[in-house]
Amino acid sequence: DEDDVWSYVFNSEERYWIIIRDIKNDLLYQGWLSAFSTTHNENEILLSNVQVYRNSNTEEVLYNMEKVYFTKKSDDIIIEFRKDN
């Protein structure tokens, strides 16, 4: 039994491709979920094989990174999940 939705989603056995939309900075990050905090209070996410786009225009990759660490207030980001098939 999970304490909150954060724990439910991130503690599942599924492997996820994640899109993080940083609304405030107009950036979009997508990559494989590598690690995460165990509670929503910490709100930490580590992505690997990351592509970074301008959120308002996702047609062109701004740059690629091997890994990106996030810790942002939940009001400033949207997290989208795609299950690995």
Side-chain angles (χ1 to χ4, degrees):
D1 190 32
E2 304 296 340
D3 293 334
D4 54 25
V5 175
W6 180 273
S7 298
Y8 173 78
V9 171
F10 285 100
N11 287 325
S12 78
E13 305 230 347
E14 302 292 340
R15 180 172 154 94
Y16 285 108
W17 179 260
I18 292 196
I19 295 172
I20 297 178
R21 297 180 187 270
D22 180 345
I23 306 305
K24 187 175 181 179
N25 295 308
D26 192 30
L27 293 172
L28 181 149
Y29 302 84
Q30 63 177 0
W32 290 109
L33 177 64
S34 293
F36 55 90
S37 59
T38 57
T39 67
H40 188 254
N41 296 337
E42 296 299 321
N43 203 14
E44 296 173 302
I45 298 172
L46 180 66
L47 295 183
S48 60
N49 299 330
V50 183
Q51 296 173 321
V52 182
Y53 299 84
R54 180 90 35 226
N55 188 45
S56 57
N57 179 5
T58 59
E59 295 174 13
E60 185 178 337
V61 175
L62 296 175
Y63 57 92
N64 296 302
M65 296 296 296
E66 185 175 331
K67 295 197 182 292
V68 175
Y69 167 81
F70 292 91
T71 181
K72 290 197 171 266
K73 291 180 6 182
S74 59
D75 295 349
D76 294 335
I77 61 172
I78 297 171
I79 303 172
E80 301 171 7
F81 302 85
R82 189 176 79 202
K83 192 162 104 174
D84 182 22
N85 292 329

